[in-house]
Amino acid sequence: MREGDLTEFYSLLGRLGSPRRLFGATGRDGWPTHGVYFFFEDGELRADGTPRVVRVGTHGLAITSRTRLWQRLAQHRGTLKGGGNHRASIFRRHVGTALIRRDHPPGPLLDAWTGARRLPEWAAAESAIEREVSDHIGRMPFRWLAVPTDADGTSLRGAIERNSIALLSNLRGAPDRPSRTWLGHHALSDKVRASGLWNVNHVDEDYDPAFLESFRALADG
């Protein structure tokens, strides 16, 4: 059943139009107010040679939140000058830990990066990593699914995000494995490494195939 549901999932993603990249994107590009996004990564392919999703996310699931889709994407992208704030984006945090663990010797830089606040003595080093993270994420293709903003919009977005992650996760038996050179192999989180996704929430959960019906209705609409 999972392989059939994965086939359906990727077929629905294909209906969402050509992928974009965050590099150079702005808030004036006509984004829907609410949605779920799906990131790919160059070199990460499914067994059939098509691109593999490596990150699923949404925004503002708290009922009081006013965060819009573009605001969340912009936090992941960082500034147009290449800076960013990984303490406001768990996606950036994970990518940063992988870059540090891959390219730097073990030491306090990783501790500083994962700390709750920026330490003045590590500000310059963190800024350099932020630029690397912005470059990496900015080059990643992604698609998005617009979700209505009515009373059910928040729970619907959460359900699509949660079930998509659970469907795609290697921890739950998904067959699409990351390449040997995938940056995520160096991530600090064992859930990132084991799931094959830049996600930690929902990667060890079961999925409800019924979410594909909602996905299909939104993709066709």
Side-chain angles (χ1 to χ4, degrees):
M1 175 181 284
R2 182 182 292 270
E3 291 196 9
D5 290 337
L6 280 167
T7 298
E8 172 72 1
F9 173 83
Y10 278 100
S11 175
L12 292 172
L13 278 183
R15 302 183 193 181
L16 302 182
S18 299
R20 290 280 309 273
R21 297 180 192 251
L22 281 176
F23 181 77
T26 75
R28 299 185 297 274
D29 292 342
W31 309 100
T33 55
H34 295 76
V36 182
Y37 52 83
F38 307 88
F39 274 89
F40 304 87
E41 202 163 354
D42 290 343
E44 293 305 308
L45 304 174
R46 305 186 67 211
D48 62 4
T50 58
R52 177 180 75 87
V53 171
V54 298
R55 164 82 185 183
V56 181
T58 188
H59 57 96
L61 289 178
I63 197 166
T64 56
S65 175
R66 296 184 178 181
T67 304
R68 299 295 185 257
L69 174 62
W70 169 248
Q71 290 173 300
R72 192 57 176 152
L73 290 172
Q75 287 176 326
H76 295 328
R77 180 204 62 182
T79 68
L80 290 177
K81 293 183 179 180
N85 178 12
H86 71 280
R87 292 179 178 86
S89 163
I90 190 65
F91 188 11
R92 293 183 65 88
R93 175 187 167 99
H94 290 318
V95 172
T97 69
L99 289 167
I100 293 169
R101 283 163 55 91
R102 186 190 69 181
D103 300 335
H104 298 267
L109 175 57
L110 184 62
D111 293 335
W113 181 264
T114 56
R117 58 187 179 85
R118 175 177 285 200
L119 301 176
E121 61 269 32
W122 287 100
E126 279 199 20
S127 293
I129 301 299
E130 296 281 15
R131 289 191 292 272
E132 291 184 50
V133 171
S134 293
D135 179 67
H136 189 86
I137 293 179
R139 290 185 283 106
M140 293 171 67
F142 71 100
R143 287 186 168 101
W144 62 94
L145 175 69
V147 179
T149 57
D150 59 20
D152 294 329
T154 296
S155 59
L156 181 57
R157 281 190 291 112
I160 291 173
E161 178 198 40
R162 179 176 66 254
N163 285 288
S164 295
I165 293 169
L167 172 63
L168 293 164
S169 173
N170 290 161
L171 275 170
R172 303 306 296 168
D176 298 318
R177 300 287 173 173
S179 70
R180 276 189 263 178
T181 58
W182 182 49
L183 178 62
H185 289 309
H186 300 277
L188 183 63
S189 170
D190 57 351
K191 287 189 174 182
V192 170
R193 299 193 306 270
S195 69
L197 301 170
W198 294 107
N199 290 93
V200 296
N201 294 332
H202 316 305
V203 294
D204 51 3
E205 299 175 10
D206 292 322
Y207 74 96
D208 180 358
F211 91 97
L212 291 168
E213 296 178 11
S214 299
F215 198 132
R216 186 181 307 110
L218 291 166
D220 290 343

mmCIF file of all heavy atoms in Angstrom, residues 170-199:
data_model
loop_
_atom_site.group_PDB
_atom_site.id
_atom_site.type_symbol
_atom_site.label_atom_id
_atom_site.label_comp_id
_atom_site.label_asym_id
_atom_site.label_seq_id
_atom_site.Cartn_x
_atom_site.Cartn_y
_atom_site.Cartn_z
ATOM 1 N N ASN A 170 11.820 7.212 5.968
ATOM 2 C CA ASN A 170 12.464 5.897 5.952
ATOM 3 C C ASN A 170 12.285 5.164 7.283
ATOM 4 O O ASN A 170 12.336 3.928 7.328
ATOM 5 C CB ASN A 170 13.953 6.033 5.654
ATOM 6 C CG ASN A 170 14.263 6.457 4.236
ATOM 7 O OD1 ASN A 170 15.352 6.924 3.949
ATOM 8 N ND2 ASN A 170 13.301 6.321 3.335
ATOM 9 N N LEU A 171 12.053 5.912 8.353
ATOM 10 C CA LEU A 171 11.816 5.277 9.647
ATOM 11 C C LEU A 171 10.533 4.459 9.658
ATOM 12 O O LEU A 171 10.379 3.555 10.485
ATOM 13 C CB LEU A 171 11.747 6.335 10.749
ATOM 14 C CG LEU A 171 13.076 6.789 11.352
ATOM 15 C CD1 LEU A 171 12.870 7.999 12.241
ATOM 16 C CD2 LEU A 171 13.728 5.655 12.130
ATOM 17 N N ARG A 172 9.611 4.773 8.767
ATOM 18 C CA ARG A 172 8.336 4.063 8.705
ATOM 19 C C ARG A 172 8.246 3.167 7.476
ATOM 20 O O ARG A 172 7.163 2.705 7.131
ATOM 21 C CB ARG A 172 7.173 5.056 8.727
ATOM 22 C CG ARG A 172 7.159 5.970 9.930
ATOM 23 C CD ARG A 172 7.204 5.199 11.233
ATOM 24 N NE ARG A 172 6.014 4.367 11.423
ATOM 25 C CZ ARG A 172 5.908 3.435 12.353
ATOM 26 N NH1 ARG A 172 6.927 3.171 13.147
ATOM 27 N NH2 ARG A 172 4.790 2.742 12.465
ATOM 28 N N GLY A 173 9.367 2.941 6.819
ATOM 29 C CA GLY A 173 9.389 1.959 5.745
ATOM 30 C C GLY A 173 9.348 2.498 4.330
ATOM 31 O O GLY A 173 9.216 1.720 3.382
ATOM 32 N N ALA A 174 9.436 3.812 4.148
ATOM 33 C CA ALA A 174 9.461 4.351 2.791
ATOM 34 C C ALA A 174 10.701 3.834 2.058
ATOM 35 O O ALA A 174 11.792 3.779 2.624
ATOM 36 C CB ALA A 174 9.462 5.875 2.823
ATOM 37 N N PRO A 175 10.558 3.447 0.793
ATOM 38 C CA PRO A 175 11.659 2.802 0.079
ATOM 39 C C PRO A 175 12.665 3.758 -0.554
ATOM 40 O O PRO A 175 13.719 3.309 -1.034
ATOM 41 C CB PRO A 175 10.936 2.007 -1.010
ATOM 42 C CG PRO A 175 9.719 2.830 -1.304
ATOM 43 C CD PRO A 175 9.307 3.439 0.009
ATOM 44 N N ASP A 176 12.361 5.044 -0.599
ATOM 45 C CA ASP A 176 13.238 5.989 -1.305
ATOM 46 C C ASP A 176 14.347 6.464 -0.382
ATOM 47 O O ASP A 176 14.156 7.347 0.460
ATOM 48 C CB ASP A 176 12.427 7.179 -1.820
ATOM 49 C CG ASP A 176 11.367 6.751 -2.818
ATOM 50 O OD1 ASP A 176 11.680 5.898 -3.661
ATOM 51 O OD2 ASP A 176 10.235 7.260 -2.731
ATOM 52 N N ARG A 177 15.513 5.889 -0.530
ATOM 53 C CA ARG A 177 16.640 6.162 0.359
ATOM 54 C C ARG A 177 17.463 7.346 -0.128
ATOM 55 O O ARG A 177 17.571 7.587 -1.330
ATOM 56 C CB ARG A 177 17.545 4.930 0.442
ATOM 57 C CG ARG A 177 16.833 3.692 0.972
ATOM 58 C CD ARG A 177 16.570 3.817 2.455
ATOM 59 N NE ARG A 177 15.741 2.723 2.953
ATOM 60 C CZ ARG A 177 15.476 2.517 4.234
ATOM 61 N NH1 ARG A 177 15.986 3.333 5.139
ATOM 62 N NH2 ARG A 177 14.700 1.523 4.600
ATOM 63 N N PRO A 178 18.057 8.083 0.801
ATOM 64 C CA PRO A 178 18.938 9.180 0.388
ATOM 65 C C PRO A 178 20.204 8.651 -0.273
ATOM 66 O O PRO A 178 20.619 7.515 -0.034
ATOM 67 C CB PRO A 178 19.249 9.893 1.705
ATOM 68 C CG PRO A 178 19.040 8.869 2.764
ATOM 69 C CD PRO A 178 17.939 7.979 2.267
ATOM 70 N N SER A 179 20.798 9.500 -1.087
ATOM 71 C CA SER A 179 22.061 9.129 -1.721
ATOM 72 C C SER A 179 23.172 9.074 -0.681
ATOM 73 O O SER A 179 23.042 9.596 0.437
ATOM 74 C CB SER A 179 22.422 10.142 -2.804
ATOM 75 O OG SER A 179 22.787 11.377 -2.214
ATOM 76 N N ARG A 180 24.280 8.465 -1.037
ATOM 77 C CA ARG A 180 25.406 8.374 -0.114
ATOM 78 C C ARG A 180 26.022 9.740 0.170
ATOM 79 O O ARG A 180 26.665 9.930 1.197
ATOM 80 C CB ARG A 180 26.473 7.437 -0.692
ATOM 81 C CG ARG A 180 26.202 5.976 -0.419
ATOM 82 C CD ARG A 180 27.376 5.117 -0.804
ATOM 83 N NE ARG A 180 27.202 4.545 -2.130
ATOM 84 C CZ ARG A 180 28.095 3.779 -2.736
ATOM 85 N NH1 ARG A 180 29.235 3.513 -2.154
ATOM 86 N NH2 ARG A 180 27.851 3.291 -3.934
ATOM 87 N N THR A 181 25.808 10.688 -0.729
ATOM 88 C CA THR A 181 26.401 12.017 -0.556
ATOM 89 C C THR A 181 25.409 13.033 0.012
ATOM 90 O O THR A 181 25.729 14.224 0.072
ATOM 91 C CB THR A 181 26.931 12.540 -1.904
ATOM 92 O OG1 THR A 181 25.854 12.587 -2.855
ATOM 93 C CG2 THR A 181 28.036 11.642 -2.437
ATOM 94 N N TRP A 182 24.234 12.597 0.421
ATOM 95 C CA TRP A 182 23.248 13.528 0.967
ATOM 96 C C TRP A 182 23.801 14.240 2.188
ATOM 97 O O TRP A 182 24.326 13.610 3.112
ATOM 98 C CB TRP A 182 21.969 12.781 1.332
ATOM 99 C CG TRP A 182 20.870 13.666 1.851
ATOM 100 C CD1 TRP A 182 20.425 14.818 1.268
ATOM 101 C CD2 TRP A 182 20.091 13.480 3.038
ATOM 102 N NE1 TRP A 182 19.408 15.370 2.030
ATOM 103 C CE2 TRP A 182 19.186 14.569 3.115
ATOM 104 C CE3 TRP A 182 20.078 12.501 4.040
ATOM 105 C CZ2 TRP A 182 18.270 14.696 4.163
ATOM 106 C CZ3 TRP A 182 19.162 12.626 5.069
ATOM 107 C CH2 TRP A 182 18.276 13.711 5.129
ATOM 108 N N LEU A 183 23.682 15.552 2.186
ATOM 109 C CA LEU A 183 24.193 16.350 3.299
ATOM 110 C C LEU A 183 23.577 15.936 4.628
ATOM 111 O O LEU A 183 24.226 15.980 5.675
ATOM 112 C CB LEU A 183 23.927 17.840 3.031
ATOM 113 C CG LEU A 183 24.359 18.819 4.120
ATOM 114 C CD1 LEU A 183 25.873 18.769 4.354
ATOM 115 C CD2 LEU A 183 23.917 20.238 3.757
ATOM 116 N N GLY A 184 22.319 15.497 4.615
ATOM 117 C CA GLY A 184 21.632 15.141 5.845
ATOM 118 C C GLY A 184 22.269 14.009 6.627
ATOM 119 O O GLY A 184 21.995 13.847 7.823
ATOM 120 N N HIS A 185 23.128 13.213 5.985
ATOM 121 C CA HIS A 185 23.834 12.158 6.717
ATOM 122 C C HIS A 185 24.715 12.747 7.824
ATOM 123 O O HIS A 185 25.083 12.035 8.760
ATOM 124 C CB HIS A 185 24.701 11.339 5.769
ATOM 125 C CG HIS A 185 23.928 10.458 4.832
ATOM 126 N ND1 HIS A 185 22.950 9.579 5.250
ATOM 127 C CD2 HIS A 185 23.986 10.336 3.468
ATOM 128 C CE1 HIS A 185 22.450 8.939 4.201
ATOM 129 N NE2 HIS A 185 23.058 9.378 3.115
ATOM 130 N N HIS A 186 25.084 14.013 7.690
ATOM 131 C CA HIS A 186 25.950 14.655 8.675
ATOM 132 C C HIS A 186 25.160 15.436 9.725
ATOM 133 O O HIS A 186 25.771 16.032 10.624
ATOM 134 C CB HIS A 186 26.915 15.616 7.973
ATOM 135 C CG HIS A 186 27.805 14.943 6.962
ATOM 136 N ND1 HIS A 186 28.965 14.296 7.311
ATOM 137 C CD2 HIS A 186 27.680 14.812 5.613
ATOM 138 C CE1 HIS A 186 29.533 13.796 6.221
ATOM 139 N NE2 HIS A 186 28.775 14.100 5.181
ATOM 140 N N ALA A 187 23.847 15.458 9.624
ATOM 141 C CA ALA A 187 23.043 16.246 10.560
ATOM 142 C C ALA A 187 23.225 15.749 11.985
ATOM 143 O O ALA A 187 23.493 14.566 12.234
ATOM 144 C CB ALA A 187 21.561 16.186 10.176
ATOM 145 N N LEU A 188 23.066 16.641 12.929
ATOM 146 C CA LEU A 188 23.183 16.267 14.338
ATOM 147 C C LEU A 188 22.035 15.379 14.770
ATOM 148 O O LEU A 188 22.218 14.452 15.563
ATOM 149 C CB LEU A 188 23.225 17.537 15.199
ATOM 150 C CG LEU A 188 23.409 17.339 16.702
ATOM 151 C CD1 LEU A 188 24.753 16.679 17.006
ATOM 152 C CD2 LEU A 188 23.317 18.696 17.420
ATOM 153 N N SER A 189 20.835 15.627 14.263
ATOM 154 C CA SER A 189 19.665 14.865 14.663
ATOM 155 C C SER A 189 19.680 13.463 14.077
ATOM 156 O O SER A 189 19.768 13.289 12.862
ATOM 157 C CB SER A 189 18.384 15.588 14.213
ATOM 158 O OG SER A 189 17.250 14.753 14.379
ATOM 159 N N ASP A 190 19.548 12.461 14.949
ATOM 160 C CA ASP A 190 19.495 11.100 14.436
ATOM 161 C C ASP A 190 18.215 10.851 13.653
ATOM 162 O O ASP A 190 18.173 9.993 12.764
ATOM 163 C CB ASP A 190 19.641 10.085 15.568
ATOM 164 C CG ASP A 190 18.591 10.233 16.662
ATOM 165 O OD1 ASP A 190 17.836 11.222 16.654
ATOM 166 O OD2 ASP A 190 18.535 9.351 17.538
ATOM 167 N N LYS A 191 17.151 11.612 13.938
ATOM 168 C CA LYS A 191 15.904 11.449 13.187
ATOM 169 C C LYS A 191 16.056 11.951 11.755
ATOM 170 O O LYS A 191 15.468 11.372 10.832
ATOM 171 C CB LYS A 191 14.755 12.162 13.893
ATOM 172 C CG LYS A 191 14.292 11.448 15.158
ATOM 173 C CD LYS A 191 13.019 12.077 15.702
ATOM 174 C CE LYS A 191 12.480 11.274 16.869
ATOM 175 N NZ LYS A 191 11.203 11.843 17.387
ATOM 176 N N VAL A 192 16.796 13.014 11.545
ATOM 177 C CA VAL A 192 17.075 13.464 10.178
ATOM 178 C C VAL A 192 17.850 12.386 9.434
ATOM 179 O O VAL A 192 17.498 11.994 8.310
ATOM 180 C CB VAL A 192 17.858 14.792 10.187
ATOM 181 C CG1 VAL A 192 18.360 15.137 8.789
ATOM 182 C CG2 VAL A 192 16.984 15.933 10.718
ATOM 183 N N ARG A 193 18.894 11.890 10.061
ATOM 184 C CA ARG A 193 19.732 10.893 9.399
ATOM 185 C C ARG A 193 18.953 9.620 9.085
ATOM 186 O O ARG A 193 19.097 9.032 8.016
ATOM 187 C CB ARG A 193 20.947 10.566 10.278
ATOM 188 C CG ARG A 193 21.854 11.757 10.571
ATOM 189 C CD ARG A 193 23.191 11.313 11.158
ATOM 190 N NE ARG A 193 23.041 10.473 12.339
ATOM 191 C CZ ARG A 193 22.972 10.923 13.581
ATOM 192 N NH1 ARG A 193 23.022 12.233 13.819
ATOM 193 N NH2 ARG A 193 22.865 10.093 14.599
ATOM 194 N N ALA A 194 18.118 9.170 10.032
ATOM 195 C CA ALA A 194 17.416 7.899 9.857
ATOM 196 C C ALA A 194 16.205 8.008 8.933
ATOM 197 O O ALA A 194 15.857 7.044 8.246
ATOM 198 C CB ALA A 194 16.979 7.352 11.219
ATOM 199 N N SER A 195 15.566 9.166 8.911
ATOM 200 C CA SER A 195 14.347 9.321 8.113
ATOM 201 C C SER A 195 14.628 9.655 6.660
ATOM 202 O O SER A 195 13.780 9.438 5.787
ATOM 203 C CB SER A 195 13.457 10.414 8.710
ATOM 204 O OG SER A 195 14.049 11.697 8.550
ATOM 205 N N GLY A 196 15.816 10.220 6.383
ATOM 206 C CA GLY A 196 16.103 10.691 5.035
ATOM 207 C C GLY A 196 15.433 12.004 4.719
ATOM 208 O O GLY A 196 15.353 12.404 3.555
ATOM 209 N N LEU A 197 14.955 12.707 5.756
ATOM 210 C CA LEU A 197 14.256 13.979 5.593
ATOM 211 C C LEU A 197 14.862 15.019 6.533
ATOM 212 O O LEU A 197 15.362 14.687 7.609
ATOM 213 C CB LEU A 197 12.771 13.820 5.946
ATOM 214 C CG LEU A 197 11.948 12.802 5.153
ATOM 215 C CD1 LEU A 197 10.585 12.623 5.814
ATOM 216 C CD2 LEU A 197 11.781 13.262 3.711
ATOM 217 N N TRP A 198 14.748 16.286 6.118
ATOM 218 C CA TRP A 198 15.136 17.387 7.009
ATOM 219 C C TRP A 198 13.966 17.697 7.955
ATOM 220 O O TRP A 198 13.565 18.847 8.114
ATOM 221 C CB TRP A 198 15.509 18.628 6.203
ATOM 222 C CG TRP A 198 16.735 18.500 5.369
ATOM 223 C CD1 TRP A 198 16.797 18.377 4.014
ATOM 224 C CD2 TRP A 198 18.099 18.511 5.814
ATOM 225 N NE1 TRP A 198 18.098 18.297 3.584
ATOM 226 C CE2 TRP A 198 18.923 18.378 4.673
ATOM 227 C CE3 TRP A 198 18.701 18.616 7.073
ATOM 228 C CZ2 TRP A 198 20.308 18.358 4.751
ATOM 229 C CZ3 TRP A 198 20.088 18.583 7.145
ATOM 230 C CH2 TRP A 198 20.871 18.461 6.006
ATOM 231 N N ASN A 199 13.414 16.669 8.549
ATOM 232 C CA ASN A 199 12.317 16.792 9.500
ATOM 233 C C ASN A 199 12.622 15.919 10.708
ATOM 234 O O ASN A 199 13.306 14.892 10.584
ATOM 235 C CB ASN A 199 10.980 16.319 8.904
ATOM 236 C CG ASN A 199 10.426 17.225 7.836
ATOM 237 O OD1 ASN A 199 10.664 17.023 6.640
ATOM 238 N ND2 ASN A 199 9.674 18.228 8.243
#
